[in-house]
Amino acid sequence: MNMKALTLPASIMDTISRLTMRFNIFANVKWGRLSVISVPTLWLAVFFFIPFVVVFKISLAESAIAIPPYSSLFEWDAEEAFLAIKVSLANYVYLFEDTLYIEAYWSSIKIAAVSTFITLIVAFPIAYLIARSDPQKRTLLLALVVLPFWTSFLLRVYAWIGFLKKNGVINDVLMGLGIIDQPITMIQTDFAVYIGIVYTYLPFMILPLYTALEKMDITLLEAAEDLGAKPYQSFFLVTLPLAVPGIIAGCLLVFIPAVGEFVIPALLGASDTLMIGRVLWDEFFLNRDWPMASAVATVMLIILVLPIMLITNRTETKEGAK
Amino acid sequence: MKRRSVFLNTSSLIGFLFLYLPMISLVIFSFNESKLVTVWGGWSLKWYVALFENEQIMQAAWLSLKIAFITSTLAVVLGTMAGYVLSRMGRFRGKMILSGWIAAPLVMPEVITGLSLLLLFVAMESMIGWPAGRGMGTIIIAHTTFCLAYVAVIVQSRLAMLDETLEEAAMDLGAKPSSLFFLVTLPLISPAIISGWLLSFTLSLDDLVIASFVSGPGNSTLPMVIFSKVRMGVTPEINALATLMIAVVTVGVIAAMYQMRRQSKLSAQFK
């Protein structure tokens, strides 16, 4: 009896201590840490990730004259107690049947790729010059590169309208100098779109290139020269390979947003300059076909995500190998 | 060697001219008396007067400034948390996902972000009744989402540069995690937080596409008004507006450079 009286509280004590141990384990989880991690994660989950799921869902719906203007995927039939799921691939079928969309994707990728390449060519000497100049001049030059980025993107695109239009600055100067006697049509052409993209995305290319080139050991070039390499050889065999991480980063930062660009083709391009960002915009704002706009967005996302995943996987395996 | 530097200097000069000439012409023509933007009619400030008298532009500018202010403050809080989590909290489940979610908004085409957020807001409204209607609130949420990614990247790179020994010393001296952050880490990363705030402010003030998707009727932000005006052709008031913006940014960049130079001189003295 006594024994039992003793063991019972003891077992209770034991249980309680185990319980408190449990609580101690909880204490180790550190609520502070957990909440610091979860607040930004939850924000991005709700406002960045889930929206893509919603876009995908609505891309499977049908356009309807209603508010919101699409059919619902799930319909609850109360009489039959039956949940009908109506998934329609019609938008995707239409997307691949109508040549407009395919052409728009193709021409966006083409325009983005060509302008990314031009941006690279324009940016490389600037980045190289900055990386090789002395620290004081370097700060000034970097500020000159960064400054346009801080001013309004929309207004910088607008500046080119005044520059390129029929009685704009370029035509006036060329005609004043007597080089041409008829104004050249530059605004509302694909040429203007290329200019616009190169112009607005140039800082995004220069900065990663600069970071890569700045890290480069200058003695490598001296070694190459001592071993008899000509300047162009040491450029292609030493400088360029060392700049590859910067080139990849810069090209991604320019290419991906350029594919979906809307403002530049809308302001500088011709009415028949096909770019997918503009098609999506028109589908949404003019035709009010939300499901079709969602299908266009979903396919664009797939086209863009694949190269990113390939490249990040590659760099990660490289870093893992180090 | 000599020839190469000539090539470098010329091509860089062309590059910088390419960057700056359109902006310079924008500024010059904002002082043009003539309504025809490319015909010079003498110096005048009348477009600045017209700008400030334009009720529509002023209202939109005020709305955009309010949105930008709230957005950048929210984005700094959330982005600093995200950047700190990614660089100082070691491994945890979902770290890869979080870093992916931080990187993706930086390159995501704006039409996709805008459309997807709008569809989310519409779906949420019909399911839980929030957000009721669209307007300033939804624009702030949308802007905060992409601005916080920029802040996180800036804070993360600043933390990566920082010497961890200061934080370790504070921990050895018995600082709690919260006081460690607020008394040691936060002052050290404050430059990154300030530039993150300024960048968020600029990005929010400048965004046309995302705001067009998620704003409601009667909530036109400044870029939306500019876009609709510019589509009709060149308007000198917009030149005046652009000039004011360029002036503010130039002063800011010069101040930042001055500050950086002073700091590097200071640290040189201590060496």
Side-chain angles (χ1 to χ4, degrees):
Chain A
M1 181 71 195
N2 257 352
M3 283 265 284
K4 271 206 166 168
L6 268 176
T7 49
L8 189 69
S11 66
I12 290 173
M13 282 291 284
D14 188 56
T15 321
I16 289 173
S17 81
R18 270 169 196 277
L19 270 175
T20 47
M21 283 259 293
R22 277 281 153 77
F23 282 119
N24 276 335
I25 290 167
F26 271 120
N28 280 338
V29 169
K30 286 178 195 158
W31 292 104
R33 179 189 155 94
L34 195 68
S35 59
V36 172
I37 293 176
S38 53
V39 169
T41 311
L42 277 178
W43 181 285
L44 286 167
V46 174
F47 296 118
F48 184 72
F49 179 70
I50 293 179
F52 294 133
V53 181
V54 179
V55 166
F56 182 64
K57 191 198 120 191
I58 290 170
S59 75
L60 298 172
E62 276 164 8
S63 177
I65 301 171
I67 298 171
Y70 50 84
S71 67
S72 61
L73 290 191
F74 307 103
E75 249 163 49
W76 177 249
D77 192 329
E79 278 178 25
E80 307 265 323
F82 169 70
L83 181 71
I85 303 174
K86 288 199 282 185
V87 171
S88 152
L89 287 174
N91 295 314
Y92 290 97
V93 173
Y94 191 63
L95 197 78
F96 289 106
E97 270 177 355
D98 192 326
T99 50
L100 168 87
Y101 299 102
I102 306 278
E103 272 171 29
Y105 282 117
W106 178 237
S107 97
S108 309
I109 292 172
K110 196 191 76 191
I111 290 176
V114 172
S115 24
T116 306
F117 184 71
I118 302 172
T119 315
L120 179 64
I121 303 288
V122 177
F124 208 97
I126 301 180
Y128 194 89
L129 181 85
I130 299 175
R132 291 283 160 272
S133 42
D134 53 281
Q136 234 176 15
K137 206 175 154 197
R138 189 183 292 183
T139 329
L140 176 72
L141 290 174
L142 273 179
L144 280 176
V145 168
V146 173
L147 193 141
F149 172 69
W150 285 83
T151 56
S152 165
F153 153 75
L154 184 60
L155 292 172
R156 279 185 295 136
V157 176
Y158 163 73
W160 276 98
I161 300 181
F163 233 57
L164 293 173
K165 64 189 192 128
K166 208 166 179 185
N167 49 357
V169 177
I170 292 182
N171 273 324
D172 278 5
V173 169
L174 288 180
M175 275 164 62
L177 293 172
I179 296 172
I180 51 168
D181 40 39
Q182 284 286 318
I184 316 169
T185 317
M186 286 178 288
I187 195 86
Q188 290 172 357
T189 59
D190 285 5
F191 168 74
V193 176
Y194 287 120
I195 294 248
I197 296 178
V198 174
Y199 179 68
T200 44
Y201 289 102
L202 195 57
F204 291 96
M205 187 66 93
I206 294 177
L207 293 177
L209 282 178
Y210 160 76
T211 319
L213 288 171
E214 193 215 2
K215 281 190 216 140
M216 200 178 99
D217 190 350
I218 194 97
T219 53
L220 287 174
L221 285 179
E222 285 163 14
E225 206 176 332
D226 289 347
L227 293 170
K230 295 197 175 79
Y232 75 88
Q233 280 176 322
S234 54
F235 175 78
F236 282 107
L237 296 174
V238 181
T239 312
L240 207 58
L242 285 171
V244 163
I247 294 176
I248 292 178
C251 287
L252 279 180
L253 284 175
V254 176
F255 178 77
I256 296 170
V259 168
E261 188 54 58
F262 164 73
V263 177
I264 296 170
L267 289 181
L268 300 177
S271 51
D272 62 342
T273 305
L274 266 183
M275 282 196 80
I276 198 66
R278 214 169 159 193
V279 170
L280 193 156
W281 179 282
D282 289 347
E283 209 65 71
F284 181 84
F285 286 103
L286 301 182
N287 302 347
R288 288 191 60 80
D289 190 342
W290 294 16
M292 195 65 214
S294 305
V296 170
T298 308
V299 173
M300 194 196 320
L301 204 61
I302 292 168
I303 293 175
L304 292 178
V305 162
L306 283 178
I308 306 176
M309 293 217 335
L310 284 176
I311 288 168
T312 45
N313 265 343
R314 223 184 61 129
T315 45
E316 255 158 38
T317 45
K318 258 192 184 169
E319 269 169 20
K322 264 180 201 169
Chain B
M1 206 62 194
K2 184 91 188 174
R3 212 169 18 153
R4 190 164 46 176
S5 68
V6 170
F7 166 74
L8 259 184
N9 283 330
T10 350
S11 48
S12 303
L13 183 70
I14 293 171
F16 278 114
L17 284 179
F18 174 66
L19 270 180
Y20 280 92
L21 277 183
M23 279 159 72
I24 293 169
S25 88
L26 201 73
V27 171
I28 292 173
F29 281 108
S30 78
F31 296 106
N32 189 3
E33 166 78 38
S34 164
K35 167 89 187 165
L36 294 166
V37 183
T38 45
V39 180
W40 188 253
W43 296 90
S44 152
L45 285 175
K46 76 174 189 194
W47 301 116
Y48 290 85
V49 177
L51 173 72
F52 284 104
E53 279 171 356
N54 189 322
E55 197 115 314
Q56 191 195 10
I57 291 180
M58 283 300 117
Q59 246 172 24
W62 177 234
L63 178 71
S64 280
L65 286 172
K66 277 191 289 189
I67 290 174
F69 186 84
I70 301 172
T71 292
S72 40
T73 309
L74 269 173
V76 154
V77 174
L78 291 166
T80 307
M81 282 170 107
Y84 187 79
V85 161
L86 284 177
S87 56
R88 283 290 193 269
M89 290 219 162
R91 290 172 178 276
F92 57 90
R93 249 178 288 159
K95 186 173 179 176
M96 280 298 293
I97 296 176
L98 181 62
S99 61
W101 285 350
I102 291 294
L106 304 179
V107 288
M108 189 59 65
E110 289 168 317
V111 281
I112 298 186
T113 316
L115 175 73
S116 61
L117 271 166
L118 168 81
L119 295 180
L120 175 85
F121 290 141
V122 170
M124 278 172 85
E125 192 182 357
S126 70
M127 270 198 288
I128 58 172
W130 181 89
R134 293 183 296 280
M136 198 171 137
T138 48
I139 301 176
I140 289 172
I141 291 175
H143 283 182
T144 303
T145 306
F146 76 87
C147 289
L148 91 84
Y150 279 90
V151 176
V153 169
I154 296 172
V155 167
Q156 212 183 334
S157 62
R158 172 81 187 173
L159 279 170
M161 284 197 312
L162 270 184
D163 192 359
E164 265 183 83
T165 48
L166 271 173
E167 290 160 78
E168 278 162 16
M171 262 192 291
D172 288 346
L173 293 170
K176 282 182 199 150
S178 58
S179 46
L180 168 72
F181 178 77
F182 286 107
L183 298 176
V184 181
T185 315
L186 195 63
L188 286 172
I189 59 171
S190 60
I193 291 179
I194 292 169
S195 52
W197 193 92
L198 290 170
L199 184 63
S200 303
F201 193 86
T202 320
L203 290 171
S204 167
L205 201 60
D206 193 29
D207 166 65
L208 163 76
V209 176
I210 296 174
S212 301
F213 275 99
V214 299
S215 82
N219 276 298
S220 292
T221 61
L222 185 60
M224 286 158 78
V225 172
I226 294 175
F227 185 69
S228 65
K229 278 194 179 301
V230 164
R231 262 200 154 168
M232 304 292 139
V234 178
T235 29
E237 285 137 292
I238 303 295
N239 282 36
L241 181 70
T243 304
L244 291 177
M245 235 177 233
I246 292 171
V248 171
V249 170
T250 310
V251 169
V253 168
I254 290 173
M257 262 178 68
Y258 178 76
Q259 180 69 21
M260 266 163 69
R261 193 166 288 179
R262 218 181 55 168
Q263 258 172 4
S264 64
K265 264 186 197 158
L266 269 178
S267 60
Q269 270 177 5
F270 280 114
K271 266 175 193 166

